[in-house]
Amino acid sequence: MHLTKLSDLSVEQIMGIIEEANGYANGQPLPDLSGKVVANLFFEPSTRTQYSFEMAQLRLGIKPLTFSAETSSVQKGETLYDTVKTFEAIGVDALVIRHPDKEYFGNLLGKISAPILNGGDGSGNHPTQSLLDLLTIYQEFGRFEGLKIAIVGDVAHSRVAHTNLEVMKRLGMEIHTVAPAEFQEPGYQWENLDDVIESMDIIMLLRVQHERHANGMELTKDEYHQLYGMTIQREARMKKEAIIMHPAPFNRGVEIADDVVECSRSRIFKQMENGVYTRMAVLNQSLNSMEKAPSFDSTLGTPFIPV
Ligand code: CP
């Protein structure tokens, strides 16, 4: 019922969501979830996650309640827990939450019975972004096992990178990591982009997370682009069938050259489209598991259980 971390889900559960989302992408009839109400609580800025969740809700007949922290009682000091508890009390069926604190949901699980769908927790997890990334890869290659991916950029501050690194390893992908020293973290082997560019099936670029840097980036934007960016020259060196991904928003001329954003191997806007299919599948499975399994483990929280 909750979806807070993708690492809570088995490979079979992950594949179940991807297959359902791919069905929607291919025109499979949509379930009717009219009568359900979902609150979208975004305590950090968002365009793709917030509005593709809303679009998914509208397509399924769900009524979205959109919350603004700036005009809510958060301004009077109300805590996250009390805000979420309030939405549960007024009768929402699920909550989508994005919050700057890593693992903000630790204080909610076991106390909130409405499903919590994590729209991003600080630099921790972004499960629906990772699922839509996986759907995009699955549509392209029809498999995960053995695919070579380079994840490039601000790995240390990226919830997208952290979520994808864990799940892609479990799915049998060969992962390469590339980052400036200031964005590296322990546990990975760091490589040079020019050494891997010709052998990868997927290059996944990450946004430089300026808002999470205490002292700004050491490299200039131009230095970053030359050393770690997808330049026109690097795009030309990629394998014929290889694709470029980026969770967006992207910084043109920094992580990716302006002319590469919409080139034939870019799947950036396909990822956004897949965000709606993926979030429809997550909402459907979460709300259905709620109906079929109303009992709730009040001490540990209940992992997301697709039907
Ligand atoms: N990729 C992503 O999470 O985008 P938003 O921050 O716009 O939701």
Side-chain angles (χ1 to χ4, degrees), residues 151-224:
I151 298 182
V152 182
D154 191 354
V155 173
H157 302 99
S158 171
R159 53 193 170 213
V160 178
H162 294 141
T163 311
N164 275 331
L165 284 161
E166 187 279 327
V167 71
M168 288 178 177
K169 186 174 175 195
R170 274 197 288 153
L171 290 167
M173 293 176 68
E174 183 182 309
I175 305 169
H176 297 257
T177 44
V178 176
E182 58 184 309
F183 299 152
Q184 294 178 6
E185 58 186 8
Y188 306 103
Q189 210 175 353
W190 299 97
E191 299 178 69
N192 184 312
L193 183 54
D194 286 313
D195 291 343
V196 299
I197 191 87
E198 288 167 9
S199 57
M200 294 296 109
D201 299 297
I202 304 145
I203 301 284
M204 177 176 283
L205 307 162
L206 301 172
R207 182 175 69 84
V208 178
Q209 311 255 313
H210 295 290
E211 73 278 19
R212 301 192 205 284
H213 303 160
N215 302 312
M217 183 167 70
E218 288 169 20
L219 295 168
T220 66
K221 289 179 179 178
D222 191 49
E223 285 169 341
Y224 183 96

Side-chain angles (χ1 to χ4, degrees), residues 19-88:
E19 293 286 3
E20 181 175 335
N22 201 34
Y24 298 146
N26 289 320
Q28 179 185 304
L30 303 180
D32 179 6
L33 296 180
S34 53
K36 301 288 186 192
V37 179
V38 173
N40 300 304
L41 277 56
F42 281 71
F43 293 85
E44 264 192 355
S46 171
T47 299
R48 276 144 291 274
T49 309
Q50 178 168 347
Y51 293 101
S52 64
F53 255 118
E54 270 194 41
M55 181 62 86
Q57 290 156 13
L58 291 168
R59 290 209 182 146
L60 296 176
I62 298 169
K63 285 198 165 52
L65 279 188
T66 296
F67 163 87
S68 162
E70 289 72 31
T71 56
S72 75
S73 287
V74 169
Q75 299 305 322
K76 303 172 198 164
E78 191 159 55
T79 63
L80 174 64
Y81 174 77
D82 288 336
T83 302
V84 172
K85 198 75 188 160
T86 299
F87 275 97
E88 186 177 51

Side-chain angles (χ1 to χ4, degrees), residues 7-303:
S7 54
D8 288 340
L9 271 62
S10 68
V11 166
E12 291 70 29
Q13 289 173 316
I14 290 165
M15 289 309 300
I17 296 170
I18 293 170
E19 293 286 3
E20 181 175 335
N22 201 34
Y24 298 146
N26 289 320
Q28 179 185 304
L30 303 180
D32 179 6
L33 296 180
S34 53
K36 301 288 186 192
V37 179
V38 173
N40 300 304
L41 277 56
F42 281 71
F43 293 85
E44 264 192 355
S46 171
T47 299
R48 276 144 291 274
T49 309
Q50 178 168 347
Y51 293 101
S52 64
F53 255 118
E54 270 194 41
M55 181 62 86
Q57 290 156 13
L58 291 168
R59 290 209 182 146
L60 296 176
I62 298 169
K63 285 198 165 52
L65 279 188
T66 296
F67 163 87
S68 162
E70 289 72 31
T71 56
S72 75
S73 287
V74 169
Q75 299 305 322
K76 303 172 198 164
E78 191 159 55
T79 63
L80 174 64
Y81 174 77
D82 288 336
T83 302
V84 172
K85 198 75 188 160
T86 299
F87 275 97
E88 186 177 51
I90 66 175
V92 301
D93 296 290
L95 299 107
V96 177
I97 305 177
R98 171 175 285 189
H99 197 278
D101 291 350
K102 194 171 173 183
E103 304 215 359
Y104 67 80
F105 42 80
N107 190 36
L108 304 175
L109 297 178
K111 299 174 189 163
I112 303 293
S113 53
I116 294 166
L117 307 176
N118 183 12
D121 59 288
S123 59
N125 304 272
H126 198 345
T128 58
Q129 176 69 44
S130 183
L131 287 165
L132 74 86
D133 291 342
L134 294 174
L135 172 61
T136 306
I137 293 168
Y138 189 64
Q139 289 171 339
E140 196 73 31
F141 299 100
R143 66 187 168 92
F144 297 108
E145 185 76 36
L147 288 177
K148 294 182 181 179
I149 184 168
I151 298 182
V152 182
D154 191 354
V155 173
H157 302 99
S158 171
R159 53 193 170 213
V160 178
H162 294 141
T163 311
N164 275 331
L165 284 161
E166 187 279 327
V167 71
M168 288 178 177
K169 186 174 175 195
R170 274 197 288 153
L171 290 167
M173 293 176 68
E174 183 182 309
I175 305 169
H176 297 257
T177 44
V178 176
E182 58 184 309
F183 299 152
Q184 294 178 6
E185 58 186 8
Y188 306 103
Q189 210 175 353
W190 299 97
E191 299 178 69
N192 184 312
L193 183 54
D194 286 313
D195 291 343
V196 299
I197 191 87
E198 288 167 9
S199 57
M200 294 296 109
D201 299 297
I202 304 145
I203 301 284
M204 177 176 283
L205 307 162
L206 301 172
R207 182 175 69 84
V208 178
Q209 311 255 313
H210 295 290
E211 73 278 19
R212 301 192 205 284
H213 303 160
N215 302 312
M217 183 167 70
E218 288 169 20
L219 295 168
T220 66
K221 289 179 179 178
D222 191 49
E223 285 169 341
Y224 183 96
H225 189 59
Q226 293 311 319
L227 290 167
Y228 302 99
M230 181 55 71
T231 59
I232 294 168
Q233 294 75 18
R234 288 196 178 105
E235 187 275 332
R237 290 173 56 205
M238 290 175 68
K239 271 168 46 172
K240 185 166 170 286
E241 308 297 339
I243 61 169
I244 296 168
M245 299 176 70
H246 191 309
F250 38 80
N251 296 298
R252 289 178 188 256
V254 183
E255 299 111 37
I256 185 164
D258 200 6
D259 288 344
V260 181
V261 170
E262 294 180 59
C263 74
S264 61
R265 60 166 99 245
S266 169
R267 295 295 177 272
I268 295 172
F269 291 94
K270 172 59 84 176
Q271 287 171 267
M272 296 178 202
E273 179 188 339
N274 282 338
V276 179
Y277 306 131
T278 301
R279 289 168 178 131
M280 287 198 291
V282 165
L283 284 160
N284 184 42
Q285 295 196 17
S286 180
L287 289 165
N288 277 320
S289 72
M290 179 72 178
E291 278 175 4
K292 291 184 179 175
S295 63
F296 186 74
D297 181 335
S298 63
T299 54
L300 298 174
T302 307

